[in-house]
Amino acid sequence: MTSKKKKSMIYETDAWLAPYKDAVDARHRRILEEKEKLSEGDASLYDSINNHLYYGLHRRGDGSWVFREWAPNAMRLYLIGDFNNWKRTEAYALKPVGGGNWEIELPSIFLEHGTNYKLYVEWTGGGGERIPAYATRAVQDEETKAFCAQVWAPDRPYRWKYGKPGRRPHPLIYECHIGMSSEKEKVATFNEFRTDVLPHIKELGYDTIQIMALQEHPYYGSFGYQVSNFFALSSRFGTPEEFKQLVDEAHGAGIAVVMDIVHSHSVDNEAEGLGKFDGREDLYFYSGPQGRHPAWGSRCFDYGKDETKRFLLSNCKFWMEEYHLDGFRFDGVTSMLYWDHGLGKDFVGYDNYFNGGVDENAVTYLALANMLVHEMNPDAFTIAEDVSGMAGLAAPFEAGGVGFDFRMSMGVADNWIKWIKTLPDEQWSVGEIWWQLTNKRADEKTISYAECHDQAMVGDKTIIFRLLDKEMYTSMNKDSKSLLVDRGIALHKMIRLVTMATSGDGYLTFMGNEFGHPEWIDFPREGNGWSYKYARRQWSLVEPDYLRYGSLNSFDKAMVSLCREEGLLEGRPELLVQDEEKKILIFKRINCIFAFNFNPLSSFSDYGFSAPAGKYISILDTDAREFNGFSRLKKGEVHFTVHKRSANGSGVYDDTLMLYLPSRSAIVLKKVD
């Protein structure tokens, strides 16, 4: 019988971490101790994390109801709603049952599916209406705009048809927002997304959708990042059954569903959220300045408090169990990890990751959340949105890490903005491009992207908008003549291809950016007359063959298909040529060679470079006519190496490949012999 090989600790594989061995080990022990405490000595967190099954409203087997809430600072609690004309009456007063918990039992006749309700909480010196912390549905009154909880107990619960899609060691992620997924100026629904957008994602070849704004949030314009009700699916998009059908059919199409979960902060609202829930400032949150986010105007969770950890861990378990989700992208991880939230901070040096500026309570919570997710489903995966580069964040817990499966490679998008914004492309350094796109920790998996939703928001610009600016409105017709648009279309394809081809272990795009969606995202607000004009996606732009959008869409599809068919992300890119003078970047990955000519003016014939000996065939050309290029290369052209060492490139190989490299274009060659 062979013993399982022990994982190397992160300070054994990274010499720069060696001085922090004691800090890494102390963090590891702290997490283990907390796990043992929360699991009450059991082997798993799964059996112990069940707050959502105790608190909130639950129907018993005999049809009666029980409702429980944690409000240790409260003097009285009342259930109010449609059933008692929203009045505080003794018949609906909750009883204290110890530990700050309150409870009420009700016969079946008092509550039914669709009944609206709230809590009224009284404390010393005040009181107010509150939505229960564990409410699984919250709805907004169209006239008053006020939110309340709603009983959700349909007679015919959704019956799942499909199984889970399996592991995603190299996810190709389509980031999306349900509400803005319609072409119409309105809030789109789960059903519309399922019928209209899901087939588009399938057609493009992405195998994962990452959905934003699922947790209920009172202000639509927050993009879902100011959460009020953590267990409630946002009702503005539809019902729980409709979302379940969306997830189910995505699974049936072989697409995993990941939720963009917000545990980094909570909306400050009292009427809708957890703010001063029982009159206390610090029920779930840190007290004083630490409990308030200076940039977001929101409340910061106290991750050191057991009740908070159980609340958030139960939240993870609820979403996975109730909606069959395949994992989470944790938002705002940097803000969680550091007492200063990483605001205005340059993370230079490893000391930042282990000094007094780190909220170790948050590190512990995130590690426990990862443990729980993987206990529930070993095929599920988690992604950390972190700009600090904390070492070990996406390393296995057994190796001294926090346990995320992936981390977002956020510097890639930032660098593309910097290069496009500050330099003409003839001054771009192919060496810097290579370094910034491949500079990733070898012991952690990453998700790369050229742009995500952040770059599409008002106040920022998408890549296509930065490249084309106002000519997007006048020259996206293929018959139009514009050097600026020709440049922009060419670079849009090259930027995406080089980002995908150098990505660590996964690739992401945001909904619509694959075809160069025009303009920004601006949600309805007072400043724009509460308009939905810019909070939608103009899918119809892809359809006309006389517009350039369809060509960009076709290129994205071809690029994703190449990535999947060749298993590119299973390997690592190997640099072959870094030619600063000619602006040529060539590298090998798996069985493919990627050759980029970023030179805006010069094309190069018979450009030779060292390459593995053999026969190569062209399988993707950014300059192809079908991708709105100039078709300067023959489709499917075959190339053979010659047995001589090239002066260009690394010189590692004894054979040379000769290529014609048109200006501002890229070609992918596959070795076939």
Side-chain angles (χ1 to χ4, degrees):
M1 180 175 171
T2 58
S3 59
K4 191 173 182 180
K5 186 178 179 181
K6 184 180 181 295
K7 284 185 178 292
S8 297
M9 299 297 285
I10 56 176
Y11 48 72
E12 295 173 334
T13 56
D14 181 352
W16 292 98
L17 275 173
Y20 303 95
K21 175 183 183 301
D22 291 345
V24 172
D25 288 341
R27 179 176 288 173
H28 189 80
R29 288 193 300 272
R30 190 181 304 114
I31 295 165
L32 278 177
E33 289 167 2
E34 196 64 29
K35 175 182 182 290
E36 186 173 352
K37 184 176 74 170
L38 289 178
S39 62
E40 300 170 352
D42 290 339
S44 74
L45 285 169
Y46 176 78
D47 293 329
S48 306
I49 299 300
N50 291 301
N51 274 27
H52 58 297
L53 301 180
Y54 178 79
Y55 295 109
L57 182 66
H58 298 282
R59 185 175 238 165
R60 291 171 164 167
D62 61 1
S64 64
W65 299 87
V66 61
F67 175 85
R68 301 184 187 95
E69 191 65 70
W70 180 62
N73 193 52
M75 296 177 61
R76 301 291 302 273
L77 267 74
Y78 298 92
L79 207 60
I80 60 175
D82 297 335
F83 44 84
N84 62 2
N85 204 26
W86 300 92
K87 302 294 184 183
R88 283 171 276 164
T89 63
E90 287 302 315
Y92 293 93
L94 279 71
K95 298 177 181 179
V97 293
N101 297 315
W102 299 76
E103 181 179 282
I104 186 173
E105 298 180 8
L106 296 169
S108 59
I109 60 172
F110 287 94
L111 297 174
E112 60 182 17
H113 177 65
T115 299
N116 294 329
Y117 69 100
K118 285 185 181 181
L119 279 175
Y120 192 93
V121 184
E122 293 181 359
W123 57 85
T124 302
E129 294 182 356
R130 296 290 186 265
I131 296 178
Y134 289 82
T136 57
R137 184 164 172 83
V139 294
Q140 186 176 28
D141 185 274
E142 292 186 5
E143 294 183 6
T144 66
K145 303 303 179 184
F147 279 82
C148 66
Q150 187 178 67
V151 176
W152 198 257
D155 292 333
R156 300 178 63 185
Y158 184 79
R159 297 183 65 180
W160 296 89
K161 300 179 180 65
Y162 302 103
K164 299 290 182 67
R167 291 186 67 241
R168 288 289 182 274
H170 303 291
L172 296 167
I173 303 173
Y174 195 85
E175 184 186 34
C176 50
H177 183 283
I178 300 297
M180 57 170 286
S181 65
S182 171
E183 183 141 356
K184 297 177 181 177
E185 296 182 25
K186 64 167 195 169
V187 177
T189 66
F190 294 125
N191 281 342
E192 290 169 325
F193 185 94
R194 176 176 53 81
T195 58
D196 300 337
V197 184
L198 192 60
H200 172 71
I201 299 170
K202 175 69 173 177
E203 176 70 15
L204 287 172
Y206 290 89
D207 62 16
T208 303
I209 54 176
Q210 178 178 297
I211 309 181
M212 307 171 63
L214 289 175
Q215 294 164 294
E216 191 60 86
H217 47 290
Y219 179 44
Y220 184 51
S222 75
F223 225 148
Y225 290 123
Q226 290 278 347
V227 173
S228 52
N229 312 109
F230 286 80
F231 289 82
L233 180 72
S234 183
S235 60
R236 56 171 59 87
F237 307 135
T239 69
E241 280 65 42
E242 289 166 346
F243 180 56
K244 289 175 182 178
Q245 186 178 5
L246 164 58
V247 174
D248 203 15
E249 293 195 11
H251 287 168
I255 297 173
V257 182
V258 171
M259 174 183 177
D260 194 346
I261 197 167
V262 181
H263 283 178
S264 47
H265 63 136
S266 171
V267 70
D268 193 30
N269 301 31
E270 297 173 13
E272 296 92 357
L274 298 173
K276 290 186 178 178
F277 188 83
D278 63 353
R280 286 177 54 180
E281 287 274 359
D282 60 348
L283 185 65
Y284 289 98
F285 311 113
Y286 285 120
S287 58
Q290 289 176 344
R292 296 191 175 274
H293 199 292
W296 298 343
S298 52
R299 302 305 312 277
C300 300
F301 285 110
D302 181 349
Y303 303 104
K305 184 179 286 187
D306 285 352
E307 292 83 358
T308 300
K309 285 196 289 286
R310 288 187 178 277
F311 175 82
L312 295 174
L313 289 170
S314 295
N315 193 237
C316 294
K317 185 174 180 179
F318 168 80
W319 283 100
M320 287 188 69
E321 285 190 332
E322 184 69 16
Y323 295 109
H324 290 203
L325 298 179
D326 303 295
F328 301 105
R329 180 262 202 186
F330 280 77
D331 174 70
V333 167
T334 306
S335 179
M336 299 171 71
L337 292 174
Y338 304 96
W339 292 113
D340 62 6
H341 309 294
L343 297 172
K345 186 173 183 177
D346 291 326
F347 290 91
V348 179
Y350 279 29
D351 189 55
N352 288 289
Y353 308 143
F354 302 101
N355 61 21
V358 176
D359 181 356
E360 291 292 345
N361 295 327
V363 176
T364 298
Y365 163 68
L366 289 169
L368 295 173
N370 277 290
M371 288 181 191
L372 177 62
V373 168
H374 294 115
E375 281 180 13
M376 294 182 67
N377 179 5
D379 289 340
F381 61 99
T382 56
I383 307 167
E385 188 218 19
D386 169 56
V387 298
S388 76
M390 176 179 275
L393 189 64
F397 174 71
E398 296 79 8
V402 180
F404 280 97
D405 294 286
F406 303 93
R407 65 189 313 151
M408 304 296 290
S409 190
M410 300 181 73
V412 171
D414 291 341
N415 277 291
W416 282 123
I417 292 172
K418 180 186 74 173
W419 295 324
I420 296 170
K421 187 177 180 179
T422 62
L423 294 171
D425 54 301
E426 57 263 29
Q427 293 182 23
W428 290 2
S429 165
V430 293
E432 185 180 5
I433 290 173
W434 171 258
W435 168 252
Q436 295 294 350
L437 268 58
T438 59
N439 182 24
K440 303 174 176 71
R441 294 188 62 83
D443 58 348
E444 300 186 30
K445 293 183 177 181
T446 57
I447 305 290
S448 292
Y449 56 99
E451 55 186 343
C452 67
H453 72 273
D454 288 327
Q455 289 74 42
M457 298 293 287
V458 162
D460 207 335
K461 288 183 178 180
T462 60
I463 286 176
I464 197 72
F465 218 161
R466 288 185 183 279
L467 292 171
L468 304 189
D469 202 50
K470 62 183 179 181
E471 291 205 31
M472 173 175 281
Y473 301 109
T474 60
S475 304
M476 285 300 280
N477 188 306
K478 289 181 180 178
D479 291 335
S480 63
K481 305 299 180 185
S482 168
L483 293 177
L484 184 69
V485 171
D486 289 343
R487 167 187 180 268
I489 294 294
L491 289 177
H492 191 268
K493 293 176 287 187
M494 294 178 72
I495 287 169
R496 280 171 152 64
L497 181 61
V498 73
T499 301
M500 183 275 291
T502 57
S503 60
D505 301 272
Y507 176 76
L508 175 145
T509 193
F510 176 68
M511 179 175 69
N513 285 2
E514 70 276 7
F515 64 85
H517 194 283
E519 302 172 325
W520 50 80
I521 299 167
D522 190 12
F523 281 91
R525 55 186 173 86
E526 188 175 0
N528 65 14
W530 302 103
S531 170
Y532 288 87
K533 182 177 180 180
Y534 298 109
R536 61 192 180 109
R537 297 283 88 176
Q538 299 180 59
W539 305 106
S540 62
L541 292 173
V542 174
E543 297 168 7
D545 58 6
Y546 57 83
L547 293 179
R548 303 176 193 262
Y549 299 103
S551 299
L552 292 179
N553 190 77
S554 296
F555 176 76
D556 199 86
K557 178 182 176 182
M559 181 184 76
V560 171
S561 175
L562 180 150
C563 185
R564 295 185 66 168
E565 291 176 7
E566 301 303 326
L568 288 178
L569 302 186
E570 295 174 11
R572 288 290 179 264
E574 174 192 345
L575 181 64
L576 299 179
V577 176
Q578 180 182 305
D579 189 333
E580 291 290 355
E581 179 186 357
K582 294 183 171 63
K583 301 299 177 189
I584 290 174
L585 176 66
I586 304 176
F587 55 90
K588 173 183 175 292
R589 190 159 191 177
I590 298 291
N591 209 32
C592 294
I593 287 178
F594 294 79
F596 292 82
N597 180 4
F598 282 97
N599 198 304
L601 299 174
S602 299
S603 300
F604 302 98
S605 59
D606 295 329
Y607 188 92
F609 59 95
S610 294
K615 174 184 176 183
Y616 293 83
I617 186 170
S618 169
I619 58 174
L620 185 64
D621 172 17
T622 65
D623 195 49
R625 186 78 65 191
E626 62 186 300
F627 306 137
N628 194 215
F630 294 97
S631 194
R632 289 170 288 179
L633 293 172
K634 293 180 181 179
K635 189 172 183 178
E637 192 169 19
V638 176
H639 302 268
F640 295 88
T641 57
V642 294
H643 189 60
K644 68 175 182 178
R645 188 181 290 269
S646 172
N648 290 327
S650 62
V652 172
Y653 300 100
D654 292 329
D655 292 80
T656 293
L657 192 61
M658 311 288 289
L659 298 177
Y660 170 46
L661 300 177
S663 59
R664 268 199 197 118
S665 71
I667 183 175
V668 184
L669 304 172
K670 179 180 179 180
K671 190 172 183 293
V672 294
D673 191 12

